[in-house]
Amino acid sequence: MAQEVRGVIAPGKDEPVRLETIVVPDPGPGEAVVQVQACGVCHTDLHYKQGGISDDFPFLLGHEAAGIVESVGAGVTDVAPGDFVILNWRAVCGRCRACLRGRPWYCFDTHNAEQKMTLASTGQELSPALGIGAFAEKTLVAAGQCTKVDPSVSAQVAGLLGCGVMAGIGAAINTGQVGRGDTVAVIGCGGVGDAAVAGANLAGAAKIIAVDIDDRKLETARSMGATHTVNSRETDPVEAIRELTGGFGADVVIEAVGRPETYKQAFYARDLAGTVVLVGVPTPEMKLELPLLDVFGRGGALKSSWYGDCLPSRDFPMLIDLHLQGRLDLGAFVTETIELTDVEKAFERMHHGDVLRSVVVL
Ligand code: APR
Ligand code: ZN
Ligand code: ZN
């Protein structure tokens, strides 16, 4: 039987979000209903509300979540009712050209639940944020969006791996391939950049230089493992990073802002044959101009990081284990826990740069 639960809806462009009763269908083939225990508030949720991602209102917001599988549809074998899972927004297909070549973290045909959740009052179909929609007591997803992890971790910490924190850690360890002894610079130290700092730390980087325009962010970055900090409002970050790396530049520079000027800084702050990782997401009107000779002459790799190039089935359980062993402090990303009714206020705090993550706990 379909169930009615409470969920946070973005009803229209720039309208305040509100709590509504939503209808969650029983899981069909390949689907699962998950009882959400915690869901972080991400910039992408705000972008949905602002109409910056698509016009398919109303949206059911929330996508950084963990919870318990309540029921599964026909043919689901990887997860079962009672499993503690982290939700991911790139359920790999196993059949596309990327998957078939053994590179499923690039999967070009990721999928979501086929059935739609609806608004109880009007019957209108909801568009779940990133195919998840987890600011809700329960949500319907594709079973492949559920990744089982050690249930002894708290849900508010686990859910963070579902988006921003995974993107940042993955930018360092998967995309940037940071290794022992590398010098790393991270430009932009919000939740994603801080996670990149933590990832570089985990990978054994010798030097981790955090760059931001906000001293509060630099302080947090230090607690995540940054060995040096640069306020780029006061100091030229390219010069500073070169100075801190024997005059050469860093082996890997991670751009976690998503702007042309910070990308240029990343490009010139890396050593010859170094790697630039772009994990910040630009907007459509942004353009980049670089001398092509510099692109050639400086060599190395210019990479983008999609969702940290993560493979949830490989990376989520591993990172949760490292967290439980005390080797990765995921708890440090949770600034505050809030209720479903507080999402609008959390957007404001996020907008002012006051939080790394507000996490809705259900
Ligand atoms: N130079 C350096 N740092 C900057 C600059 C700049 N010109 N402009 C902004 N920043 C810093 C902010 O002070 C903040 O600490 O970048 C950080 C951005 O952090 P958040 O706004 O918290 O965003 P976050 O969640 O970390 O995401 C960063 O990654 O996944 C993408 O869409 C996401 O593009 C966004 C980026
Ligand atoms: Zn695929
Ligand atoms: Zn997100």
Side-chain angles (χ1 to χ4, degrees):
M1 263 252 296
Q3 313 182 56
E4 295 199 341
V5 301
R6 298 182 309 154
V8 177
I9 306 297
K13 191 169 155 62
D14 282 328
E15 288 175 39
V17 301
R18 58 175 189 245
L19 200 55
E20 291 266 0
T21 302
I22 64 167
V23 179
V24 181
D26 280 344
E31 293 176 342
V33 168
V34 175
Q35 190 195 333
V36 179
Q37 294 183 316
C39 182
V41 181
C42 174
H43 283 82
T44 304
D45 295 303
L46 180 57
H47 292 164
Y48 272 110
K49 172 192 137 151
Q50 295 167 332
I53 296 191
S54 87
D55 290 326
D56 299 331
F57 291 99
F59 293 106
L60 174 59
L61 299 181
H63 60 274
E64 288 190 357
I68 306 277
V69 174
E70 181 186 79
S71 54
V72 298
V76 174
T77 52
D78 287 348
V79 287
D83 284 348
F84 178 66
V85 296
I86 299 176
L87 300 182
N88 75 74
W89 43 269
R90 285 183 60 82
V92 302
C93 75
R95 290 182 303 269
C96 73
R97 60 198 188 282
C99 284
L100 291 177
R101 292 184 69 192
R103 304 191 296 199
W105 48 90
Y106 293 140
C107 180
F108 300 140
D109 197 17
T110 60
H111 59 285
N112 304 127
E114 301 245 322
Q115 299 184 86
K116 292 287 183 186
M117 291 178 277
T118 53
L119 260 185
S121 54
T122 61
Q124 226 176 338
E125 285 189 351
L126 293 166
S127 307
L130 294 174
I132 292 181
F135 290 148
E137 289 156 332
K138 294 178 186 180
T139 188
L140 175 77
V141 292
Q145 292 181 267
C146 300
T147 308
K148 254 172 91 162
V149 298
D150 188 327
S152 57
V153 68
S154 84
Q156 66 193 54
V157 162
L160 296 185
L161 282 185
C163 186
V165 171
M166 183 68 247
I169 294 177
I173 64 179
N174 293 333
T175 319
Q177 302 264 296
V178 171
R180 271 193 312 283
D182 280 347
T183 52
V184 177
V186 177
I187 302 181
C189 296
V192 174
D194 276 346
V197 168
N201 190 26
L202 197 59
K207 229 173 233 184
I208 306 172
I209 305 161
V211 179
D212 204 292
I213 50 177
D214 181 341
D215 282 328
R216 292 176 304 170
K217 300 299 175 118
L218 293 173
E219 219 168 284
T220 321
R222 219 175 247 282
S223 74
M224 302 280 178
T227 56
H228 300 78
T229 57
V230 175
N231 185 324
S232 55
R233 231 196 252 293
E234 293 157 5
T235 312
D236 176 4
V238 175
E239 285 303 311
I241 292 167
R242 284 190 187 155
E243 229 163 79
L244 288 165
T245 51
F248 302 122
D251 297 309
V252 181
V253 186
I254 297 166
E255 202 278 14
V257 184
R259 301 191 55 82
E261 59 273 23
T262 37
Y263 188 87
K264 265 192 193 170
Q265 291 166 1
F267 181 85
Y268 286 109
R270 82 196 154 123
D271 198 357
L272 291 172
T275 300
V276 175
V277 176
L278 176 63
V279 66
V281 182
T283 52
E285 76 286 356
M286 290 176 178
K287 297 266 189 302
L288 178 69
E289 202 173 316
L290 280 173
L292 193 54
L293 185 60
D294 285 354
V295 175
F296 176 79
R298 304 188 62 82
L302 307 177
K303 303 174 89 176
S304 307
S305 187
W306 300 340
Y307 199 2
D309 291 336
C310 78
L311 184 58
S313 58
R314 175 195 64 191
D315 296 342
F316 290 1
M318 169 189 70
L319 293 171
I320 291 298
D321 287 349
L322 292 176
H323 168 72
L324 289 171
Q325 293 160 12
R327 294 155 76 188
L328 171 65
D329 184 8
L330 293 173
F333 290 90
V334 182
T335 313
E336 58 172 6
T337 56
I338 59 171
E339 297 187 20
L340 270 183
T341 44
D342 300 329
V343 171
E344 187 66 45
K345 268 182 269 166
F347 281 150
E348 262 161 55
R349 280 193 290 272
M350 188 171 74
H351 185 69
H352 291 118
D354 295 341
V355 291
L356 271 185
R357 273 299 183 265
S358 306
V359 179
V360 174
V361 175
L362 288 111

